[in-house]
Amino acid sequence: MLSQQLLNGITLGATYALIALGYTMVYGIIQLINFAHGEIYMVGAFVGVLMVSVFQQGLLVSLVAAMLACMIMGVTIERIAYRPLRRSTRLAPLISAIGVSIFLQTLMTKIKGPQPVAFPPVINDALYKLGPVEISKVQIIILIVASLLMAGLHFIVKYVKIGKAMRAASEDYDTAALMGINVNRVISFTFAIGSALAAAGGVLVGIYFNSVSPFMGVLAGLKAFCAAVLGGIGSIPGAMLGGLFLGVAETLGVAGGFDLYKDAIAFTLLIIVLLFRPTGLLGRPIQRKV
Amino acid sequence: MLLEVNDLHVSYGAIRALKGIFCQVGEGEIVALIGANGAGKTTTLRTISGLIRPQSGTITYKGQPITKMPPHQIVSLGICQVPEGRRVFTRMTVLENLEMGAYTRKDKANVKADIEKVFQRFPRLAERKSQLAGTLSGGEQQMLAMGRALMSRPTVLLMDEPSMGLAPMLVQEIFSIIKEINQAGTTILLVEQNAHMALSIANRAYVLETGEIVLSGPARDLANNPEVQKAYLGE
Ligand SMILES: Nc1ncnc2c1ncn2[C@@H]1O[C@H](COP(=O)(O)OP(=O)(O)OP(=O)(O)O)[C@@H](O)[C@H]1O
Ligand SMILES: [Mg+2]
């Protein structure tokens, strides 16, 4: 029973983590909470639906297509909605992000209508027994895809040149530029990666809950944002940990009888953690060395 | 002249930090820029590097204007900076910091060799190459900042107060390394509050006062100038 809930929680948490990574990476570099990130996740889910239903593609192709589409979208949003505001007050890009978020929700409602649509069948609903726990094929796929993507991200950030440049720019923007790093390109790259991960999350969640709607990004985005803050905003391992933590807590909370409060669990948890660790689980102390 | 700054004006909002400065750096020289706190020395270097857009004036490098270029292109041309306060990437290792210095370079094999050269010049960095830069001492961080800038194989090295906050022994060492770097062929524009040391290794010098160049000439002449001695050499 408990192990079953843990498994469900980790599955849910893996999807939160995929979204949370985008928040944390973008914040790490330009100190912006990208409020349109949840909508990128939503659009990713719709691209998945489109690929499966209209283009009759399998899961892998649909997933990759959604990721690519959202990469382009994320990079474009940064170019037209955030970059021109980079030297203005910090509130300006934040408001711009909220604008983009509303725009995408409205646009999608206009195209697909406000009702949730079912995700067309793309994988069978086989169940496997692993001792006391049952795991569905969707869950296995979510866990494998999320692990691969996060391992890939870790590899890029740790070993690949542009990933190292990301770390440098997120620590010290000006000095990164003084080293010859094209910081704008690094920012575009960050948006591309973050958006691709969110799109993957959108497709996987769409399949898992068999539902996709223009408003699915609102709550998922908020919760993933909580996960990012919980883990320590700006910290990549923090976003992964925060996502898993939140998924497990939410699932256990529901199983423990708090199902009416399901959506409040994330926020309650966030408040409690921040009371004791204001910079989140893996966040760095705020002070800067001079 | 390799690097020329002409009538450069820079403001931060209402604050006029540079009020039309002129200076030149010739190939192979060490040129010192000295001045009191807030004179505009850092502003000058940051503007040359492209981090600050000037109100007016031009900066040319090998005769080509670089005034409107983004910082990363200026680095590619061969102008690199060791910023004030070292600014190493504290959460990256010593080795990764050096790799960032070589960011614009494509010749991987030579980069490896250059990293070894930096380690030869600064053996203390070699011992700590996998350590996070934030855990280094101030002196070690200064060496790392210098090594990092050298990794771009700069033609011109801009250095902003490399002796700041270091013990006298280390200041000596840093200055003799600056001299070595210059002798190996790198042109240097050196900003310093330690005017005594700066004038002792520079060929020429400029004195900056509240955003204006008030004196310039051969370093030896400035060191013997009574006004300079009174204001900057504490004599
Ligand atoms: N970011 C900024 N915003 C507003 N004013 C600034 C900024 N940076 C520098 N200034 C102002 O511009 C002037 C020149 O500053 P700058 O840092 O260039 O001086 P400096 O000669 O490098 O001084 P120090 O020796 O203390 O490093 C100062 O009056 C300073 O207060
Ligand atoms: Mg200064």
Side-chain angles (χ1 to χ4, degrees), chain B residues 36-43 84 160-161 164 191 193:
Chain B
N37 286 110
K41 306 180 296 293
T42 298
T43 304
E84 183 175 15
D160 198 346
E161 305 211 26
M164 190 165 73
V191 158
Q193 284 207 43

Side-chain angles (χ1 to χ4, degrees), chain A residues 192-271:
Chain A
I193 298 283
S195 305
L197 294 176
V203 173
L204 295 174
V205 168
I207 297 171
Y208 194 33
F209 295 123
N210 191 25
S211 162
V212 172
S213 99
F215 308 107
M216 68 188 281
V218 179
L219 201 55
L222 272 177
K223 286 186 190 170
F225 172 60
C226 280
V229 177
L230 201 73
I233 190 98
S235 156
I236 288 178
M240 297 180 185
L241 183 70
L244 289 178
F245 188 59
L246 211 65
V248 170
E250 196 173 296
T251 310
L252 291 184
V254 169
F258 293 99
D259 50 336
L260 277 180
Y261 297 99
K262 175 170 174 283
D263 294 329
I265 291 173
F267 307 104
T268 313
L269 208 63
L270 177 68
I271 293 170

Side-chain angles (χ1 to χ4, degrees), chain A residues 87 157-158 161-162 164-165 167-183 185-186 234 284 288-290, chain B residues 46 49 51 71-72 75 80-81 83 86-92 96 99-106 134-136 141 148-149:
Chain A
R87 302 217 177 263
V157 170
K158 191 139 175 51
K161 195 167 170 184
I162 183 107
K164 293 183 198 175
R167 277 191 282 150
S170 71
E171 176 167 350
D172 189 336
Y173 195 93
D174 281 350
T175 306
L178 284 182
M179 294 305 113
I181 294 171
N182 182 343
V183 186
R185 189 180 294 164
V186 172
R284 273 170 275 273
R288 267 194 94 130
K289 223 174 167 175
V290 273
Chain B
R46 287 170 72 81
S49 280
L51 288 175
H72 65 94
V75 176
C80 196
Q81 182 174 158
R86 334 193 198 298
R87 306 274 285 260
V88 297
F89 299 113
T90 57
R91 293 177 230 142
M92 300 175 85
E96 285 171 339
E99 288 168 2
M100 289 299 104
Y103 197 79
T104 54
R105 291 175 54 183
K106 308 268 177 290
T135 64
L136 298 179
Q141 289 193 4
R148 183 179 66 175

Side-chain angles (χ1 to χ4, degrees), chain A residues 130-196:
Chain A
L130 280 176
V133 297
E134 280 186 338
I135 185 164
S136 67
K137 193 166 174 188
V138 186
Q139 285 183 309
I140 296 178
I141 289 175
I142 290 179
L143 292 174
I144 292 178
V145 171
S147 313
L148 287 179
L149 289 176
M150 289 192 238
L153 175 68
H154 176 79
F155 180 81
I156 290 176
V157 170
K158 191 139 175 51
Y159 300 109
V160 179
K161 195 167 170 184
I162 183 107
K164 293 183 198 175
M166 248 171 85
R167 277 191 282 150
S170 71
E171 176 167 350
D172 189 336
Y173 195 93
D174 281 350
T175 306
L178 284 182
M179 294 305 113
I181 294 171
N182 182 343
V183 186
N184 278 331
R185 189 180 294 164
V186 172
I187 291 171
S188 291
F189 179 78
T190 307
F191 271 84
I193 298 283
S195 305

Side-chain angles (χ1 to χ4, degrees), chain A:
Chain A
M1 174 60 196
L2 181 66
S3 46
Q4 181 69 53
Q5 296 302 343
L6 270 178
L7 175 70
N8 295 348
I10 289 172
T11 313
L12 181 65
T15 66
Y16 288 153
L18 285 179
I19 315 172
L21 283 165
Y23 281 108
T24 229
M25 290 194 295
V26 165
Y27 184 87
I29 273 200
I30 53 174
Q31 284 75 48
L32 167 75
I33 309 293
N34 180 11
F35 278 115
H37 193 59
E39 277 58 50
I40 293 175
Y41 154 89
M42 175 271 289
V43 171
F46 273 106
V47 175
V49 171
L50 181 79
M51 291 306 291
V52 174
S53 60
V54 178
F55 295 104
Q56 306 281 316
Q57 295 298 324
L59 175 65
L60 189 65
V61 174
S62 305
L63 195 66
V64 172
M67 290 172 72
L68 287 176
C70 286
M71 265 189 188
I72 295 169
M73 193 174 83
V75 170
T76 311
I77 290 172
E78 189 271 328
R79 274 297 251 280
I80 60 181
Y82 307 151
R83 191 174 299 181
L85 299 172
R86 197 158 319 136
R87 302 217 177 263
S88 51
T89 83
R90 279 185 61 181
L91 214 51
L94 212 62
I95 292 166
S96 186
I98 295 172
V100 173
S101 153
I102 295 171
F103 170 77
L104 290 173
Q105 275 174 41
T106 318
L107 183 71
M108 209 39 111
T109 311
K110 186 94 187 148
I111 299 173
K112 299 293 288 188
Q115 302 301 331
V117 299
F119 205 101
V122 61
I123 41 179
N124 61 42
D125 46 10
L127 270 181
Y128 304 91
K129 272 205 166 306
L130 280 176
V133 297
E134 280 186 338
I135 185 164
S136 67
K137 193 166 174 188
V138 186
Q139 285 183 309
I140 296 178
I141 289 175
I142 290 179
L143 292 174
I144 292 178
V145 171
S147 313
L148 287 179
L149 289 176
M150 289 192 238
L153 175 68
H154 176 79
F155 180 81
I156 290 176
V157 170
K158 191 139 175 51
Y159 300 109
V160 179
K161 195 167 170 184
I162 183 107
K164 293 183 198 175
M166 248 171 85
R167 277 191 282 150
S170 71
E171 176 167 350
D172 189 336
Y173 195 93
D174 281 350
T175 306
L178 284 182
M179 294 305 113
I181 294 171
N182 182 343
V183 186
N184 278 331
R185 189 180 294 164
V186 172
I187 291 171
S188 291
F189 179 78
T190 307
F191 271 84
I193 298 283
S195 305
L197 294 176
V203 173
L204 295 174
V205 168
I207 297 171
Y208 194 33
F209 295 123
N210 191 25
S211 162
V212 172
S213 99
F215 308 107
M216 68 188 281
V218 179
L219 201 55
L222 272 177
K223 286 186 190 170
F225 172 60
C226 280
V229 177
L230 201 73
I233 190 98
S235 156
I236 288 178
M240 297 180 185
L241 183 70
L244 289 178
F245 188 59
L246 211 65
V248 170
E250 196 173 296
T251 310
L252 291 184
V254 169
F258 293 99
D259 50 336
L260 277 180
Y261 297 99
K262 175 170 174 283
D263 294 329
I265 291 173
F267 307 104
T268 313
L269 208 63
L270 177 68
I271 293 170
I272 295 172
V273 170
L274 291 190
L275 276 178
F276 293 100
R277 284 191 64 97
T279 52
L281 296 173
L282 302 183
R284 273 170 275 273
I286 301 165
Q287 94 241 3
R288 267 194 94 130
K289 223 174 167 175
V290 273

Side-chain angles (χ1 to χ4, degrees), chain B residues 111-130:
Chain B
V111 168
K112 275 233 163 78
D114 283 0
I115 288 179
E116 286 314 313
K117 274 191 211 154
V118 170
F119 284 153
Q120 273 168 21
R121 180 169 268 146
F122 304 108
R124 283 161 71 175
L125 295 182
E127 294 159 25
R128 295 167 173 77
K129 68 177 171 199
S130 313

